[in-house]
């Protein structure tokens, strides 16, 4: 095409009013303002969700496997888990009652909640009381420094143990 | 207009984008991603790899709830590999925290086990810094006004360059070990111990208070000095006490660099807290500490040699030599006490102990609040010191007795002169020395000058020695030959009767004529006084004023004091009666203060 390439570029095939300087600036301004509005709205949404809370960390080390001999059922109250070891198999069962969140205590028959009398068996299945569902099991793994690591963010099927 | 709007809107967009980027994309996310990648490469099983793949960056923190006050340390957010032994050769921040036997770590079956687990103790308990900070300048503390940057690792950009190389190193960590390991001779805090010993060996404890250690009152309280100041400030304050406070009279101790370092570490460990305790536990402990011991025995009144030796012990314990000279120890601030018994008697010393300004009104010696029995023992001990140093020649005499105040050059600028008020006399000022009769100078040496730090040397030196040292001063310092002193015609006794009217007239004259130098309070601190050396006399120094005869007051006022700024007031038209009123006024203000005592 002949003539000034700038204007030629701005005409489209349908012959509609071209992208002159005025329109282009308006588009630019609109894009800038709209973009920053979206960004700030998005930032506000992200901001609402806390990045860190003052709860105990969800992934933590509890010590060497040797510290939990076979047959152990040890409740760690601040962590709200019960470490269970049978032979070479280790698992971690939540001690937060599924009813209203009290800390359940370890009993001979399994777990018993002191608040409203919910009862669970050794594997955390509900055997009585108002609790709606079984106690979750958490993932146990071996950290690189040889300690057991419990990840409360990852629930596992009841009955899945870590072999040590 | 549209162009401006377009540009402005783009600027807004860019600023928004930058803020968004800063707030939601973090360095620590990159560190964590790098850790996941590197750990994946190092892991052996597929399960491990899968677990690492499932992890995404997030803020990691340890909440310390069972050790002292609750603390939140998020250091692990960046230093994710600190408990992963595979990363021991990696670069920071992804490096394994070193295992050292010094921290109590032990090796079991070839694998290290930590004594201080990070989940139990946190990080900032040892390293300082701000546990919640997620950006380097917040957490490590490159902030001028923040006293707790990462101990031993961070040297701030604005710190003094000549010190900065000395302020780094893991030795400084000992000040933090000592927060919990407060026991002396703890193997891990050798430098804190050394600093503590230096604190006592150099008499720091005489002036500075550290809770539980010392009770000094002259200098600042150092109980919480480690909490308030950074190590560079502490270092500077020890090496150059006047660097931050021009009026400080703390002596320069000329310590070796190692000693300064030990002292800095010791001082940095003084924070008034023990990390292993909560504030409630600390409060309980302080209550118990203040309870007086039950069934304390009545102190036995000591006699004779026992009293003297207990006094000697007290003088050592109370660190008198932090300022005074006593035998071989010299604090370099206050007068020599080595043969105090020859210069002062026991009752003078005792009264001076109880209230130093009662004897020397402008003394900087603090009024210590020791028990009366302690004062008695110390006075008896000091009064028993009666061995003068050997001084075969007048030059030795001057060196031994005079030089500490009057200076090597005799110019009144001896090493302790700046701590004395009034200043020692400048012996090189021929105008003064040669205008005073030899008898008066001899008398000043023999009987001292009341109300000043010039002691009476009458028991140390015999008349010949006094004559000798005076001659030595004339020839060595004054130099100008003595001339005949013209006798002035002044009354022996004040001819004006002391009455309220006379004193009022005197006060009026004083305020108009004298207060420019001697001050409105007649305390020698008038507006011009700082420009004048020798300083104007403090006319409220009762001991001094009482020791001066009317004749001398008349002479000094009427004919001035040669070699000082005191002019001859007869030239300015003061009549003898006006001077008489002035003398009555000066005597009057001292009589009142004497009556008040």
């Amino acid at each position: 095409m002949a003539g000034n390439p700038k204007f030629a570029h701005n005409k489209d095939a349908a012959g509609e009013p071209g992208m002159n300087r005025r329109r282009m600036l308006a588009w630019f301004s609109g894009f800038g303002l709209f973009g920053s509005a979206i960004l700030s709205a998005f930032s506000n949404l992200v901001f609402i969700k806390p990045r860190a809370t003052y709860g105990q960390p969800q992934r933590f080390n509890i010590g060497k496997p040797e510290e939990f001999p076979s047959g152990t059922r040890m409740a760690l109250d601040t962590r709200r888990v019960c470490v269970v070891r049978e032979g070479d198999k280790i698992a971690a069962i939540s001690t937060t009652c599924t009813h209203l969140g009290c800390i359940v205590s370890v009993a001979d028959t399994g777990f018993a909640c002191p608040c409203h009398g919910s009862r669970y068996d050794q594997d955390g299945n509900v055997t009585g009381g108002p609790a709606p569902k079984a106690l979750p099991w958490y993932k146990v793994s071996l950290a690189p420094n040889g300690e057991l690591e419990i990840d409360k963010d990852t629930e596992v099927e009841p009955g899945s143990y870590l072999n040590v | 207009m549209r162009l401006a709007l377009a540009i402005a809107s783009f600027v807004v967009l860019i600023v928004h984008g930058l803020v968004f980027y800063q707030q939601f994309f973090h360095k620590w996310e990159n560190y964590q991603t790098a850790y996941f990648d590197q750990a994946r490469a190092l892991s052996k099983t597929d399960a491990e790899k899968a677990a690492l793949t499932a992890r995404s960056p997030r803020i990691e923190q340890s909440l310390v709830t069972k050790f002292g006050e609750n603390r939140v340390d998020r250091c692990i957010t960046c230093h994710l590999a600190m408990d992963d032994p595979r990363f021991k050769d990696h670069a920071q921040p992804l490096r394994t925290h070193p295992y050292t036997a010094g921290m109590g770590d032990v090796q079991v079956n070839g694998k290290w086990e930590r004594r201080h687990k990070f989940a139990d103790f946190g990080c900032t308990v040892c390293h300082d810094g701000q546990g919640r900070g997620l950006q380097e300048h917040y957490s490590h503390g490159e902030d001028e006004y923040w006293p707790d940057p990462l101990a031993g690792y961070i040297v701030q950009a604005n710190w003094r360059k000549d010190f900065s190389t000395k302020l780094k190193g893991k030795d400084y960590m000992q000040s933090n070990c000592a927060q919990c390991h407060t026991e002396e001779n703890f193997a891990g805090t050798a430098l804190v111990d050394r600093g503590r010993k230096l604190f006592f060996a150099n008499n720091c404890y005489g002036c500075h208070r550290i809770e539980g250690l010392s009770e000094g009152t002259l200098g600042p309280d150092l109980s919480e000095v480690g909490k308030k100041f950074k190590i560079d400030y502490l270092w500077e304050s020890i090496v150059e006490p006047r660097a931050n406070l021009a009026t400080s009279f703390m002596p320069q101790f000329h310590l070796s660099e190692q000693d300064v370092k030990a002292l800095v570490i010791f001082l940095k460990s003084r924070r008034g807290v023990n990390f292993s305790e909560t504030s409630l536990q600390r409060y309980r402990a302080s209550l118990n500490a203040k309870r007086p011991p039950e069934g304390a025995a009545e102190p036995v009144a000591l006699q004779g040699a026992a009293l003297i030796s207990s006094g000697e012990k007290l003088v050592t314990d109370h660190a008198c030599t932090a300022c005074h000279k006593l035998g071989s120890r010299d604090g370099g601030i206050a007068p020599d006490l080595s043969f105090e018994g020859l210069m002062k008697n026991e009752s003078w010393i005792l009264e001076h102990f109880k209230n130093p300004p009662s004897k020397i009104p402008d003394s900087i010696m603090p009024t210590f609040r020791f028990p009366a029995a302690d004062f008695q023992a110390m006075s008896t001990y000091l009064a028993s010191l009666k061995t003068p140093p050997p001084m075969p020649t007048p030059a030795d005499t001057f060196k031994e007795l005079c030089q500490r105040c009057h200076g090597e050059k005799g110019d009144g600028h001896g090493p302790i002169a700046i701590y004395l008020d009034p200043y020692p006399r400048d012996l090189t000022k021929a105008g003064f020395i040669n205008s005073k009769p030899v008898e008066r100078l001899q008398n000043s040496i023999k009987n001292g000058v009341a109300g000043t730090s010039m002691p009476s040397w009458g028991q140390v030196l015999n008349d010949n020695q006094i004559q000798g040292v005076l001659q030595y001063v004339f020839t060595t310092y004054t130099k100008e030959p003595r001339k005949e002193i013209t006798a002035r015609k002044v009354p022996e006794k004040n001819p004006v009767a002391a009455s309220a009217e006379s004193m009022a007239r005197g006060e009026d004259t004083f305020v108009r004529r004298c207060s420019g130098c001697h001050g409105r309070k007649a305390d020698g601190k008038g507006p011009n006084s700082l420009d004048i050396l020798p300083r104007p006399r403090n006319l409220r120094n009762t001991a001094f004023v009482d020791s001066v005869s009317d004749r001398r007051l008349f002479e000094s006022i009427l004919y001035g004091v040669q070699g000082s700024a005191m002019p001859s007031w007869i030239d300015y038209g003061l009549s003898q009666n006006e001077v008489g009123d002035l003398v009555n006024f000066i005597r009057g203000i001292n009589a009142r203060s004497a009556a008040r005592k």
Side-chain angles (χ1 to χ4, degrees):
Chain A
M1 279 192 227
N4 194 327
K6 190 175 161 197
F7 286 107
H9 189 70
N10 284 345
K11 296 261 183 200
D12 62 10
E16 280 179 14
M19 194 70 138
N20 60 15
R21 182 183 144 89
R22 200 172 254 212
R23 269 184 79 87
M24 195 171 78
L25 286 177
W27 270 104
F28 274 146
S29 325
F31 176 71
L33 290 176
F34 195 65
S36 37
I38 288 183
L39 264 181
S40 25
F42 190 61
S43 329
N44 280 316
L45 282 179
V46 179
F47 180 73
I48 288 170
K49 190 184 173 231
R51 287 193 289 153
T53 60
Y54 290 101
Q56 286 289 345
Q58 293 292 90
R59 188 193 297 113
F60 49 85
N61 291 358
I62 55 167
K64 304 244 166 197
E66 297 90 87
E67 292 168 37
F68 304 92
S70 183
T72 304
R73 293 180 74 81
M74 187 194 282
L76 308 172
D77 275 350
T78 51
R79 309 293 198 186
R80 293 208 172 189
V81 287
C82 175
V83 182
V84 177
R85 177 162 181 174
E86 287 164 12
D88 282 347
K89 299 187 298 177
I90 292 184
I93 304 174
S94 162
T95 58
T96 307
C97 184
T98 52
H99 174 221
L100 285 174
C102 292
I103 302 178
V104 299
S105 46
V106 178
D108 291 342
T109 53
F111 303 93
C113 181
C115 293
H116 305 100
S118 296
R119 310 203 137 266
Y120 304 88
D121 68 6
Q122 299 272 14
D123 288 344
N125 299 314
V126 183
T127 54
K133 54 182 181 181
L135 294 170
W137 288 42
Y138 296 131
K139 190 183 165 198
V140 184
S141 56
L142 213 51
N145 62 354
E147 293 190 1
L148 292 168
E149 186 185 74
I150 296 178
D151 183 3
K152 282 173 75 177
D153 283 338
T154 316
E155 289 184 18
V156 291
E157 281 295 307
S160 38
Y161 289 89
L162 172 77
N163 283 308
V164 291
Chain B
M1 264 323 271
R2 283 174 190 252
L3 178 65
L5 181 67
I7 292 172
S9 64
F10 255 88
V11 168
V12 169
L13 179 64
I14 288 166
V15 169
H16 261 95
L18 282 177
V19 170
F20 186 82
Y21 180 79
Q22 262 200 331
Q23 291 297 312
F24 299 105
F25 294 87
H26 308 279
K27 263 191 183 170
W28 55 263
E29 288 180 4
N30 302 343
Y31 295 144
Q32 293 203 0
T33 323
Y35 171 76
F36 298 146
D37 290 345
Q38 293 174 25
R40 219 176 3 249
L42 287 166
S43 53
K44 294 181 187 98
T45 62
D46 284 345
E48 252 180 274
K49 282 183 182 158
L52 281 163
T53 313
R55 281 173 71 171
S56 58
R58 65 173 182 188
I59 294 172
E60 302 278 349
Q61 58 186 1
S62 43
L63 259 76
V64 184
T65 51
K66 287 182 181 163
F67 187 73
E69 302 279 8
N70 290 0
R71 263 173 312 108
V72 180
D73 282 350
R74 297 187 179 141
C75 317
I76 195 169
T77 305
C78 290
H79 299 277
L80 202 53
M82 68 177 152
D83 225 358
D84 188 338
R86 297 170 299 182
F87 283 70
K88 70 175 165 31
D89 295 324
H90 286 227
Q92 286 289 19
L94 294 179
R95 178 190 276 175
T96 317
H97 188 285
Y99 295 89
T100 51
M103 272 180 65
D105 299 339
V106 285
Q107 250 180 327
V108 181
N109 306 332
K111 274 192 162 184
W112 281 98
E113 270 179 39
R114 296 198 191 281
R115 166 73 187 77
H116 301 86
K117 284 187 180 163
F118 304 138
D120 298 340
F121 294 93
C123 310
T124 52
V125 69
C126 297
H127 286 275
D128 281 341
Q130 182 171 257
R132 285 177 163 87
L134 287 172
Q135 289 176 34
E136 211 173 331
H137 58 280
Y138 291 143
S139 50
H140 293 184
E142 283 157 6
D143 177 344
E144 183 180 350
Y145 301 105
W146 188 28
D148 288 334
L150 223 56
Y153 293 93
I154 296 296
V155 170
Q156 302 202 346
N158 55 345
W159 284 8
R160 280 184 56 159
K161 291 277 181 294
D162 45 336
F163 293 152
S164 57
T165 50
K166 301 163 191 166
L167 302 172
K168 269 192 169 182
K170 59 184 175 194
D171 289 346
Y172 286 97
M173 297 292 291
Q174 291 187 13
S175 64
N176 291 36
C177 302
Q179 297 306 310
C180 307
H181 299 282
T182 48
E183 60 267 36
E184 277 178 49
N185 303 323
F186 180 69
T189 58
L191 282 168
V192 176
D193 274 343
R194 185 167 162 192
R196 189 188 285 114
K197 291 199 177 80
L198 285 166
F199 182 78
F200 287 100
N202 289 299
N203 283 324
C204 311
Y205 73 108
C207 298
H208 293 286
R209 176 173 181 272
I210 289 184
E211 201 176 329
L213 284 181
S214 66
E215 290 295 333
T217 49
L218 261 186
D221 188 334
L222 301 180
S223 304
E224 299 185 359
V225 72
K227 197 162 75 180
K228 291 174 185 160
F229 298 110
K230 290 180 288 207
I231 47 179
D232 67 329
Y233 184 94
L234 297 175
W235 189 293
E236 188 183 50
S237 300
I238 294 172
V239 178
E240 293 169 28
R242 269 174 281 281
N244 285 294
L245 184 64
T247 53
S248 163
F249 57 85
M250 172 166 151
Q252 279 200 324
F253 284 95
H254 305 293
L255 299 165
S256 74
E257 214 160 81
Q258 279 306 307
D259 284 354
V260 176
K261 188 174 177 183
L263 265 176
V264 168
I265 291 171
F266 168 69
L267 290 178
K268 190 66 192 167
S269 74
R270 302 294 107 192
R271 305 198 186 173
V273 297
N274 182 337
F275 283 150
S276 61
E277 298 172 338
T278 63
S279 43
L280 190 63
Q281 288 168 329
R282 201 151 50 240
Y283 176 64
R284 284 205 195 104
S286 75
L287 286 185
N288 290 336
K290 275 177 196 147
R291 200 168 293 162
E294 284 167 30
E298 274 292 303
V300 186
L302 295 168
Q303 293 290 328
L307 186 62
I308 289 175
S309 67
S310 93
E312 184 174 3
K313 186 176 177 307
L314 285 167
V315 165
T316 318
D317 287 352
H318 291 322
C320 302
T321 50
C323 297
H324 288 281
K325 180 170 187 239
L326 185 52
S328 59
R329 308 193 76 173
D330 186 355
I333 288 178
D336 192 349
L337 302 177
S338 308
F339 33 91
E340 187 73 355
L342 290 175
M343 299 187 282
K344 302 284 179 341
N345 60 34
E346 196 178 319
S347 66
W348 190 97
I349 299 172
L350 184 60
E351 279 171 48
H352 180 265
F353 261 133
K354 285 178 179 163
N355 184 15
S358 72
K359 293 291 177 192
I360 300 172
D362 293 314
S363 165
I364 60 163
M365 174 152 163
T367 307
F368 290 110
R369 283 174 289 176
F370 302 147
D374 286 9
F375 279 144
Q376 182 60 54
M378 287 156 76
S379 306
T380 314
Y381 164 66
L382 289 177
S384 75
L385 298 173
K386 291 191 173 176
T387 322
M391 341 170 241
T393 67
D396 293 326
T397 310
F398 188 86
K399 195 162 167 257
E400 289 291 339
L401 306 183
C402 317
Q403 193 169 301
R404 205 151 180 276
C405 305
H406 289 284
E408 211 174 340
K409 296 177 191 148
D411 55 1
H413 290 301
I416 74 164
I418 57 163
Y419 305 112
L420 303 178
D421 189 2
Y423 283 168
R425 183 65 69 187
D426 179 355
L427 305 174
T428 60
K429 275 210 165 135
F432 179 84
I433 300 288
N434 285 350
S435 70
K436 301 293 168 235
V438 177
E439 296 76 46
R440 180 176 147 192
L441 300 176
Q442 277 175 339
N443 187 46
S444 291
I445 298 176
K446 191 170 177 181
N447 299 320
V449 181
T452 75
S453 296
M454 178 75 176
S456 52
W457 299 106
Q459 288 188 63
V460 186
L461 305 170
N462 59 34
D463 286 353
N464 281 337
Q465 281 173 306
I466 291 176
Q467 194 62 42
V469 78
L470 203 49
Q471 214 56 54
Y472 174 78
V473 167
F474 289 157
T475 52
T476 323
Y477 302 120
T478 318
K479 288 181 185 146
E480 271 179 44
R482 287 185 74 79
K483 283 175 269 180
E484 193 69 24
I485 297 166
T486 48
R488 313 278 198 193
K489 192 176 165 294
V490 282
E492 273 317 307
K493 276 259 152 241
N494 187 359
V496 182
S499 65
E501 295 82 49
S502 160
M503 285 182 205
R505 285 196 303 272
E507 183 169 1
D508 185 50
T509 315
F510 185 87
V511 169
R512 279 189 292 114
R513 304 277 194 141
C514 317
S515 60
C517 298
H518 287 282
R520 291 204 159 221
K521 294 187 205 155
D523 55 1
K525 294 186 172 55
N528 304 333
S529 64
L530 288 177
D531 303 330
I532 298 171
L533 214 68
R535 295 265 190 269
R537 191 65 79 172
N538 173 5
L539 299 173
R540 285 184 174 270
N541 187 337
T542 305
F544 176 78
V545 172
D546 287 353
S547 76
V548 175
S549 65
D550 282 359
R551 190 194 150 78
R552 189 170 145 191
L553 285 175
F554 265 85
E555 192 175 343
S556 296
I557 299 172
L558 278 174
Y559 297 100
V561 180
Q562 282 70 41
S564 82
M566 181 76 172
S568 167
W569 284 100
I570 206 164
D571 300 343
Y572 292 91
L574 271 195
S575 73
Q576 190 150 310
N577 278 350
E578 279 174 305
V579 175
D581 292 337
L582 270 176
V583 170
N584 280 334
F585 165 70
I586 293 166
R587 297 265 186 233
I589 53 176
N590 286 296
R592 272 214 303 279
S593 56
R596 205 185 293 138
K597 257 188 261 166

